[in-house]
Amino acid sequence: MNHNFRIAPSILSADFARLGEEVTKVIEAGADLIHFDVMDNHYVPNLTFGPMVCAALKPYATVPIDVHLMVEPVDDLIQAFAKAGASIITFHPEASRHIDRSLSLIKDAGCQAGLVLNPATPAYVLENVLDRLDMVLLMSVNPGFGGQSFIPHTLEKIRQVRAMLDRYEAQSGRHIAIEVDGGIKTDNIAAVAAAGADTFVAGSAIFGKPDYKTVITEMRGQLAHLG
């Protein structure tokens, strides 16, 4: 298993009136990525940030910006977020007419590409596009809102996807990251990692606390037992 663990705080739970400052603070606290949740009030029942906000935060983000598109259709926004400074762009297969084409748009823009699986989306949708993927994002809540509780059967799905990706890595030599988003906290991050995840999105668990560094350090402490 790859033990290059990454913590990706989700600014969905940050103070929207001070986003630049929040990004600076959470990176200083040890964030590896900034997770940027894009919701369109169409694919999911909420509305969040557009490319202009991403572009405005880019100067503050000294780590990669990890854009999760919960939008339909996806292709135009893929290109807009690539221009706005995204490093990683993931989207939901249900929201794309042509998954392969959407992944190609991300790669052609020079970004890392990934697919997002909702709790009820089967893992087999990944099988024919593994060569295009840098990351698989597994939702451990139903997307649309922050602050939800982790769905326990996600652990079995992480194990299933990790086995698929490990087989692919053995054949291709390419490692594909598994990111998990939803209800990640210090008391479950180790179990999520043990199941096969290496990238962890945490929103309210970090931004809901007064000291971001303490939380991120605690999370790393939990992960250190797996090293």
Side-chain angles (χ1 to χ4, degrees), residues 3 13 29 50 53 58 81 85 96 99 107 128 191 225-226:
H3 283 303
S13 299
V53 177
K58 180 65 175 171
F81 274 96
S96 171
I99 294 169
K107 303 293 273 185
N128 295 314
H225 302 311
L226 300 164

Side-chain angles (χ1 to χ4, degrees), residues 36 38 49-57 76-77 79-85:
F36 196 95
V38 182
F49 318 103
M52 287 188 293
V53 177
C54 183
L57 290 179
D76 287 347
L77 283 178
Q79 294 169 92
F81 274 96
K83 288 194 183 84

Side-chain angles (χ1 to χ4, degrees), residues 27-103:
I27 291 170
E28 287 172 352
D32 300 295
L33 304 170
I34 294 297
H35 192 75
F36 196 95
D37 286 300
V38 182
M39 305 181 191
D40 65 353
N41 198 33
H42 175 67
Y43 179 70
V44 290
N46 202 351
L47 186 65
T48 58
F49 318 103
M52 287 188 293
V53 177
C54 183
L57 290 179
K58 180 65 175 171
Y60 297 86
T62 53
V63 300
I65 298 177
D66 169 26
V67 171
H68 171 196
L69 293 179
M70 288 166 270
V71 303
E72 186 180 6
V74 298
D75 289 358
D76 287 347
L77 283 178
I78 283 170
Q79 294 169 92
F81 274 96
K83 288 194 183 84
S87 298
I88 305 163
I89 300 176
T90 60
F91 66 92
H92 293 256
E94 299 92 341
S96 171
R97 288 283 180 88
H98 299 284
I99 294 169
D100 194 72
R101 181 185 300 158
S102 298
L103 289 168

Side-chain angles (χ1 to χ4, degrees), residues 134-197:
D134 300 290
M135 178 185 280
V136 174
L137 171 50
L138 297 178
M139 296 303 297
S140 43
V141 298
N142 285 294
F145 297 92
Q148 299 183 70
S149 297
F150 183 88
I151 296 174
H153 71 70
T154 309
L155 292 174
E156 181 51 44
K157 193 171 188 181
I158 297 168
R159 285 189 279 270
Q160 179 190 359
V161 173
R162 182 79 274 160
M164 180 196 298
L165 300 186
D166 284 350
R167 286 193 298 272
Y168 173 73
E169 185 171 359
Q171 295 161 1
S172 68
R174 284 185 65 247
H175 178 76
I176 299 173
I178 293 183
E179 182 172 43
V180 178
D181 182 1
I184 298 287
K185 297 180 167 57
T186 51
D187 60 5
N188 64 10
I189 194 168
V192 174

